[in-house]
Amino acid sequence: MLEANFTIKPQCPHCHACHIKRHGKPKGRQRYRCHACHKTFMCTINTPFYRMRFLEKWLPYFTCMLDSLPIRKSAKRCNISVKTAFKWRHTLLSLPNKVKEQSLSGIVEIDETLFRYSEKGSRTLSRKAHKRGGDCAGRGRKKGDWVAVLVARDRNKQVFDECFDSADTVHY
């Protein structure tokens, strides 16, 4: 599918020149070469599938994800390593964040939800560590950092959502 989309409007990802030619087929995947900058590339460049190997195992792994199998069982079923299965899972789960609807039309409903900023799993904390038990924020939204999530949806069921980064954290 990536190959078909690329052949419709071929363009060099480095210099954006339109004059490119085929430049070999390593492991069955077409490689291209730009006449202007002489760089080689494949159709997966600038996509989440860039530098992912084992093309024939992507679809079976995706079906394992749809079946809600754990990483170890998915890796065993697709005959890949657990490290590769973990990397692929996070790559595939990040796709909806990269591909978003940019245009909403008609009547649009927008809502903002606030979640407490969490540094769980981080090796360095930007604050003093919390003790067990109790609510560290106190009452209301006076203390603590909050992360805002904006969700917009139109009547055609197109959805746009955006989670503001910790740099954009809302301080209430």
Side-chain angles (χ1 to χ4, degrees), residues 10-27:
Q11 186 178 20
C12 175
H14 305 288
C15 68
H16 304 291
C18 294
H19 194 63
I20 61 172
K21 66 176 184 175
R22 294 180 179 181
H23 191 70
K25 217 171 190 183
K27 296 186 180 179

